[in-house]
Amino acid sequence: DAKTTQPPSMDCAEGRAANLPCNHSTISGNEYVYWYRQIHSQGPQYIIHGLKNNETNEMASLIITEDRKSSTLILPHATLRDTAVYYCIVANYGGATNKLIFGTGTLLAVQP
Amino acid sequence: GAGVSQSPSNKVTEKGKDVELRCDPISGHTALYWYRQSLGQGLEFLIYFQGNSAPDKSGLPSDRFSAERTGGSVSTLTIQRTQQEDSAVYLCASSLAGGYGYTFGSGTRLTVV
């Protein structure tokens, strides 16, 4: 079973920041938070992951609360091409237990 | 290759026939995963290969499903005696050992008629 809770859908205006929340209240100390997205008819695409510190890359920023029970993925300037289902996943890092269990995700619709 | 390659991209088969789906992971990636996605649904984990370790088969839905990974590279997912409920997109992903982000292939769309 997925260990995360996400809203089923969100809207965002083009050019504005998209903030996608995720609750993972049962996360354990050695589990990371991963974010992926799936654009229609394509395979999922890795976005970012983190343990407890905030992370940023060319695609997005990941903000993890101090208690690690929730996180937010931020797309700073959403474009129409960012319309996709966004998945938040918690999983162990590496080793035989590193498999990602996808939940139902958040459908982000970027509006022109 | 530059990415994860899956073949065929589309497969239509008759109920009761066997099918084989192929996945070529990124060179050097020791971890390989199979998922399936039914229409309008999320991704369902099927099986996970990590190096020379015994595969994690906990997601295979029935004994009609099996997978092999030869030489630590190419993997084949076999579905025997296909049923209509097997119709889905079958996705393969690979990653470096150590939990880096997965790279997914474009999938094989299987239709059982």
Side-chain angles (χ1 to χ4, degrees):
Chain A
D1 292 334
K3 298 181 181 180
T4 62
T5 304
Q6 299 178 253
S9 64
M10 292 181 64
D11 288 345
C12 177
E14 189 177 18
R16 303 295 294 270
N19 297 280
L20 292 97
C22 180
N23 287 322
H24 32 79
S25 58
T26 62
I27 192 170
S28 63
N30 59 348
E31 288 182 318
Y32 282 65
V33 180
Y34 293 82
W35 282 85
Y36 284 76
R37 72 179 182 183
Q38 187 173 26
I39 296 170
H40 183 62
S41 297
Q42 298 181 21
Q45 176 189 23
Y46 166 80
I47 302 173
I48 199 168
H49 75 280
L51 181 63
K52 55 182 178 181
N53 297 322
N54 297 338
E55 302 287 345
T56 296
N57 62 21
E58 66 277 6
M59 291 183 67
S61 294
L62 173 61
I63 308 298
I64 302 174
T65 57
E66 191 169 345
D67 64 7
R68 303 212 317 128
K69 293 185 177 182
S70 65
S71 61
T72 302
L73 180 74
I74 301 172
L75 308 178
H77 305 287
T79 71
L80 297 178
R81 287 177 292 183
D82 292 322
T83 292
V85 177
Y86 286 77
Y87 296 98
C88 168
I89 305 162
V90 295
N92 288 305
Y93 186 89
T97 57
N98 177 245
K99 66 189 182 195
L100 301 184
I101 304 298
F102 287 76
T104 53
T106 296
L107 174 59
L108 175 68
V110 180
Q111 308 290 344
Chain B
V4 177
S5 177
Q6 291 189 247
S7 61
S9 54
N10 280 285
K11 176 72 175 178
V12 180
T13 190
E14 292 181 350
K15 179 181 173 182
K17 300 282 189 180
D18 297 353
V19 294
E20 285 190 352
L21 312 179
R22 177 187 168 103
C23 173
D24 261 296
I26 291 174
S27 178
H29 280 192
T30 61
L32 186 147
Y33 311 81
W34 283 97
Y35 290 82
R36 75 175 175 182
Q37 188 170 33
S38 301
L39 186 64
Q41 302 297 311
L43 278 80
E44 176 187 5
F45 167 78
L46 297 177
I47 188 168
Y48 162 39
F49 296 90
Q50 171 60 61
N52 296 320
S53 301
D56 178 349
K57 304 180 182 180
S58 60
L60 294 179
S62 78
D63 59 7
R64 296 186 295 106
F65 288 73
S66 62
E68 289 185 342
R69 189 177 185 194
T70 54
S73 181
V74 172
S75 178
T76 302
L77 177 69
T78 301
I79 308 173
Q80 296 178 311
R81 306 180 302 282
T82 53
Q83 304 294 313
Q84 287 185 328
E85 60 262 28
D86 299 335
S87 296
V89 175
Y90 288 81
L91 290 156
C92 175
S94 70
S95 73
L96 290 168
Y100 289 91
Y102 293 9
T103 300
F104 278 83
S106 298
T108 294
R109 182 175 298 279
L110 175 66
T111 304
V112 182
V113 298

